[in-house]
Each structure stands twice: as C-alpha cells, then as structure tokens.
C-alpha cells in the first residue's frame, strides 16, 4: 500500500478521526421505493444544464427523488475543471461528506485512511445490481483487490472531433489515418487561417489525460505500462516514452497559442465558432457537441481515432479508456442513510440510466436493455459508438498511478512540455523521480 500518498495528502489528525466502516442492513434495497427514507450528501461535478453524462445523471436523479420523497439529498456541485482541487481541499479539511466522485488514483488514499467502505460488499447484497454492470466496469474502481467505487461510465479518454466542412474547404479528404497525414492536414489548416487543433489546458488535465495518454500508446503498450506501475523494470525515461513526448511536443505547434490559458469549455467555443477545425478530447465531448454545438456545426461534425505513428508498434485503435471516475461511500454512512444512498447510486449507474446514457451521447457502465432501439441514437454518437467497438482499451495513466504522479507531475509537466518550457528528457526524468518517491 502507498503510505506516502496518505502522508502526502491526509494529516494524522484526519486519519485518526475516522471511525470503522459502518455495518450495513442485512437487506439492502436497490431501486426506488416509496418506503425508502434517509438523507445523505453528494459532492459531484454533474452540471444541471450540461450534456452527456450530466444530462443522464440528472434525468435519473430527478426521477429517483420524485419516486422517493422521503429521501433528502444534499447536492454539492463543483465544475469538473476545479473538482479535483476542491476534493483535495475538502479531504484535508475533513469535509468530505457522505458520497463523492473520485478517480482511481486517489482510492489508495481514501482506503488506507479508512475514509471509505468497500463498494463490492454492498453491491453484492443486491444480485440484480451486481449483474447490471458490463464487463470491466470496475477496473478503475479497484485497489488492492477490493472494488471501492461505483462506476457510472465507460469512456474513451481520447477521440478526435472535426468539422468536415472546414476539412473540405482546405482540401482535406477525411480524417487522417497516420501521424504524418495529421501533420500535413494541420499545415493546410494553419495556412488557411484556422487553428488546426484546439486545446484548453488551463486546468492541466486535458492535454495529458485526454490526449497524450492515448498518443503514448502509439509508442508503448499495456505490458510496458504494467511494468512501470508495478515497478518491474519500465521507466518514464525509456527511449520509447521519451520519443512519445518528443513527437507530442512537436504536435503542440498546431494548438492555439493560448492553449494553457483557456479551459475545456473555452476550447469548445473555438470549435463552435469555426475558429478551430478539430480537437482531441474524451468521449464525453460527443454528448457536449450534441447538447451545445450550433446546428450547422453539429451537422458537419464527425469523429475519428488518434492516428497511428508510422514505425511505432501502436495502432489507431489503442486507446486509453475506462470508467475513470466513480462514486465512493464514506465509512461514516450507515443505516437508513446508507440504504438510501445505495438505492440512489443504483439508479444513477444502471437500469434505465444505461439506455438514457446512449441517448445522451455516451456509454455507461450499466448494461443496456435487450430491447433498446439503437436506431434512435443521434448520428454523431452512433458514429462514435461504432468506433468504440474497434478500440483496444488500455489503462488511463492518471487513474492507476499514484496521485503524486498521475494527477500531479504528469499534468504539470505536460503543460510545460507543450509550452516548450520543459524538454521531453527533463519531463521523463522528473516524472520518474516523482514516481520513485511515491513508492
């Protein structure tokens, strides 16, 4: 277990103040029931007027609350760009509440600190709930052999979004299949006055987690990452990883100049306003495009996979993907309040939520009903859905590595890398040093 992570984020007072996991009622009811009662708090980043995951969440949440008027939920919202920083602050101040969203890299901190209770033991009390998840849903929710979190999505962390009308205008015939073609297309777009690739990395996570992570799998493979994460020989300073950093830094010349000064939403605006021809982001951006893009932009929008790099072992199908974020449950929650929270989590991760998720433009962690009408899917999402079937899923760096490196050095150093203030060799060395210190 990574004790340095606990020491690095939690104070001794916070750890000492945690009580043992609460006992769960012998009959945990899943799903809505008029007899359900209790109250709990939920810290989250689901925008009430958002698209994709947020839309499906609130559809399910509102339905649950209508059917269960005796359950009181205290929703605490923080936007996704600032969520992790706020989560760390709440953790240090012993203000985490009852249920919150987290990534896999922080599970060791919460579990080692006794702050959360195992989700698998709770879900296993409801066989219908357990059977409602797709294969692999709990990979990013597992630490030390225990499923600590409740997943709600299965997302590709990187997908290419592009405006076909702009591509046609400058003479680009479809989405690039190779890195060389991508660079050639970017030159055409830049010469025509467009931002070739929009990037909004103000909050540091997007360039690394949603773009570079998948780009890196053109140079390294899952075995290499497993060796790195398990300290079995692979290093960030290995030639193939440094080569990935070098080529990514080269690609950054086609990002907007203010790439580190604007956030994800501002990046979307560049695309909506036809100033940018394409961008790379997680599959959640499909739902955002469907919900918020102007009609003429949406009708011209298509998606593709990160191009392969000639001479490197990875393919365009190699994609960092998984549940990413998950709900965790405080060790202090018990009795009727715990029962109510579990029923709510079932409702916002499985059942009707899974089908609605497809309608909102993303793939959930829950199984879709056999009679779901796939022909009803929005065209852009249907396009992505077919692409997703071809993907070879790989571990998301910042969901599996210790927080100091996953959401720390990798994020900050990638920001410097694309700005040109850090060399690939310097970044690789720094990341390896931070990883070694975290062990």
């Amino acid at each position: 277990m990574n004790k340095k992570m606990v020491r690095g984020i939690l104070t001794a007072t916070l750890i000492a103040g945690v009580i043992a996991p609460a006992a769960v009622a012998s009959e945990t009811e899943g799903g809505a029931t008029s007899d359900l009662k209790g109250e709990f708090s939920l810290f989250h980043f689901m925008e009430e007027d958002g698209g994709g995951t947020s839309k499906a969440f609130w559809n399910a949440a509102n339905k649950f609350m209508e059917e269960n008027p005796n359950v009181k939920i205290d929703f605490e919202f923080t936007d996704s760009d600032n969520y992790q920083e706020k989560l760390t602050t709440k953790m240090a101040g012993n203000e985490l509440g009852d249920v919150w969203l987290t990534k896999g890299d922080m599970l060791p901190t919460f579990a080692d600190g006794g702050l959360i209770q195992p989700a698998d033991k709770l879900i296993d009390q409801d066989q219908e709930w357990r059977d409602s998840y797709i294969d692999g849903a709990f990979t990013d929710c597992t630490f030390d052999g225990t499923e600590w979190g409740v997943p709600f999505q299965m997302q590709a962390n990187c997908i290419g979004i592009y405006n076909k009308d702009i591509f046609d205008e400058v003479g680009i015939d479809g989405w690039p299949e190779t890195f060389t073609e991508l660079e050639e297309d970017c030159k055409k777009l830049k010469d025509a006055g467009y931002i070739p690739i929009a990037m909004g990395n103000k909050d540091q996570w997007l360039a690394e987690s949603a773009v570079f992570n998948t780009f890196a799998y053109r140079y390294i493979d899952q075995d290499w990452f497993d060796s790195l994460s398990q300290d079995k020989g692979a290093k960030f300073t290995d030639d193939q990883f440094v080569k990935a950093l070098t080529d990514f830094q080269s690609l950054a010349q086609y990002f907007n100049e203010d790439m580190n000064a604007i956030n994800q939403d501002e990046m979307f605006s560049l695309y909506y306003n036809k100033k940018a021809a394409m961008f790379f982001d997680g599959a959640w951006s499909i739902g955002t495009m469907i919900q918020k893009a102007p009609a003429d932009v949406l009708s011209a929008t298509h998606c593709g996979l990160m191009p392969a790099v000639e001479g490197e072992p990875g393919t365009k199908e190699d994609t960092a993907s998984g549940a990413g974020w998950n709900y965790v449950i405080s060790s202090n929650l018990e009795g009727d309040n715990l029962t109510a929270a579990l029923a709510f989590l079932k409702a916002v991760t499985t059942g009707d939520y899974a089908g609605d998720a497809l309608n909102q433009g993303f793939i959930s962690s829950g199984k879709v009903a056999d009679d779901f009408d796939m022909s009803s899917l929005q065209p852009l999402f249907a396009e992505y859905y077919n692409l997703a079937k071809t993907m070879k899923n790989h571990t998301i760096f910042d969901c599996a590595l210790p927080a100091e490196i996953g959401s720390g050095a990798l994020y900050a150093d990638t920001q410097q890398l694309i700005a040109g203030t850090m060399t690939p060799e310097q970044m690789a060395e720094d990341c390896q040093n931070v990883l070694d210190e975290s062990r």
Side-chain angles (χ1 to χ4, degrees):
M1 292 184 179
N2 193 329
K3 302 301 181 184
K4 289 187 177 181
M5 256 196 296
V6 179
R7 187 170 64 252
I9 301 178
L10 297 174
T11 62
T13 301
L14 176 61
I15 297 175
V18 177
I19 65 171
V24 181
S26 60
E27 293 185 4
T28 300
E29 293 292 337
T33 168
S34 58
D35 295 330
L36 203 62
K37 61 181 180 179
E39 60 183 277
F40 61 92
S41 63
L42 173 64
F43 181 49
H44 68 101
F45 49 65
M46 303 297 187
E47 301 175 83
E48 289 195 61
D49 60 347
T53 52
S54 294
K55 184 72 172 177
F57 168 82
W58 281 110
N59 285 346
N62 288 329
K63 179 181 178 182
F64 177 89
M65 290 186 288
E66 289 174 5
E67 295 177 346
N68 298 281
N70 294 321
V71 174
K72 179 181 178 182
I73 306 174
D74 179 15
F75 294 99
E76 182 180 354
F77 168 81
T78 293
D79 65 273
S80 58
D81 286 334
N82 298 302
Y83 182 86
Q84 189 149 327
E85 179 181 357
K86 182 68 177 294
L87 178 62
T88 302
T89 300
K90 290 173 70 68
M91 184 166 44
N94 196 15
E95 299 174 342
L96 284 170
D98 300 320
V99 180
W100 62 91
L101 284 166
T102 189
K103 287 205 284 72
D105 65 339
M106 297 188 77
L107 289 178
T109 300
F110 295 131
D112 285 351
L115 297 172
I116 56 177
Q117 49 189 306
D120 50 9
K121 294 181 180 178
L122 302 173
I123 295 172
D124 285 343
Q125 296 180 43
D126 182 344
Q127 194 59 47
E128 179 188 61
W129 191 11
R130 169 59 70 184
D131 292 342
S132 295
Y133 289 101
I134 62 178
D135 293 341
F138 288 86
T139 300
D140 292 341
C141 309
T142 301
F143 163 66
D144 203 22
T146 296
E147 296 168 353
W148 294 94
V150 181
F152 63 91
Q153 63 182 354
M154 287 296 285
Q155 300 270 36
N157 251 37
C158 185
I159 192 78
I161 300 292
Y162 68 101
N163 186 313
K164 186 178 183 299
D165 288 348
I166 296 177
F167 272 36
D168 289 343
E169 177 190 328
V170 301
I172 298 174
D173 185 20
W175 181 252
E177 293 293 313
T178 67
F179 185 59
T180 297
E181 290 178 6
L182 176 61
E183 289 188 307
E184 291 173 349
D185 293 346
C186 286
K187 291 175 184 176
K188 290 181 181 179
L189 290 163
K190 191 170 185 178
D191 289 344
Y194 290 103
I195 297 168
I197 303 173
M199 170 60 68
N201 198 50
K202 179 180 179 180
D203 302 297
Q204 297 189 337
W205 63 269
L206 193 143
E208 191 285 321
S209 183
V211 190
F212 174 72
N213 193 162
T214 288
F215 186 76
Y217 279 116
R218 306 297 173 266
Y219 303 80
I220 54 100
D221 58 19
Q222 186 65 50
D223 289 340
W224 181 91
F225 179 80
D226 291 343
S227 176
L228 175 81
S229 62
Q230 297 168 21
D231 197 16
K232 293 184 177 180
K235 305 286 186 183
F236 280 119
T237 52
D238 289 347
D239 289 344
Q240 64 265 43
F241 191 80
V242 175
K243 181 64 163 56
L245 293 173
T246 301
D247 288 348
F248 190 67
Q249 186 178 54
S250 176
L251 184 64
Q253 68 182 296
Y254 298 111
F255 298 163
N256 42 292
E257 292 183 359
D258 59 351
M259 56 193 167
N260 285 331
I262 67 171
N263 62 24
Q264 180 183 227
D265 288 338
E266 293 169 303
M267 177 188 78
F268 290 153
S269 292
L270 291 176
Y271 184 78
Y272 297 157
N273 294 326
K274 302 180 185 178
K275 293 181 179 180
M278 62 177 148
F279 63 86
F280 290 95
D281 200 351
W284 52 84
S285 61
I286 299 287
T288 301
M289 291 299 105
I290 293 171
Q291 183 81 8
K292 296 187 176 182
D296 61 329
V297 173
L298 180 60
S299 65
T301 296
H302 295 272
C303 58
L305 301 177
M306 174 71 73
V309 179
E310 302 94 318
E312 301 299 336
T315 70
K316 67 177 183 178
E317 288 81 17
D318 291 305
T319 305
S321 56
W325 292 85
N326 56 93
Y327 299 97
V328 290
I329 305 163
S330 169
S331 296
N332 296 326
L333 197 61
E334 59 185 348
D336 287 344
N337 297 334
L338 174 60
T339 300
L342 293 176
F344 178 80
L345 292 178
K346 181 179 180 180
V348 298
T349 61
T350 61
D352 291 342
Y353 167 87
D356 188 38
L358 294 183
N359 287 326
Q360 303 305 330
F362 76 100
I363 300 172
S364 80
S365 56
K367 294 178 181 177
V368 179
D370 293 336
D371 60 354
F372 182 82
D373 182 10
M374 290 292 178
S375 67
S376 67
L377 299 182
Q378 200 278 343
L380 178 59
F381 179 70
E383 188 177 329
Y384 164 70
Y385 190 75
N386 288 326
L387 275 180
K389 294 176 183 177
T390 72
M391 293 177 186
K392 299 174 184 176
N393 299 327
H394 297 289
T395 302
I396 302 170
F397 292 172
D398 53 316
C399 287
L401 293 172
E404 296 93 329
I405 178 65
S407 301
L410 271 173
Y411 282 11
D413 289 0
T414 300
Q415 189 174 68
Q416 292 193 61
L417 180 78
I418 62 178
T421 56
M422 178 175 275
T423 68
E425 291 79 11
Q426 289 171 334
M427 176 173 171
E429 183 176 358
D430 182 59
C431 287
Q432 188 58 48
N433 289 338
V434 173
L435 179 60
D436 290 340
E437 292 172 0
S438 72
R439 287 171 167 151

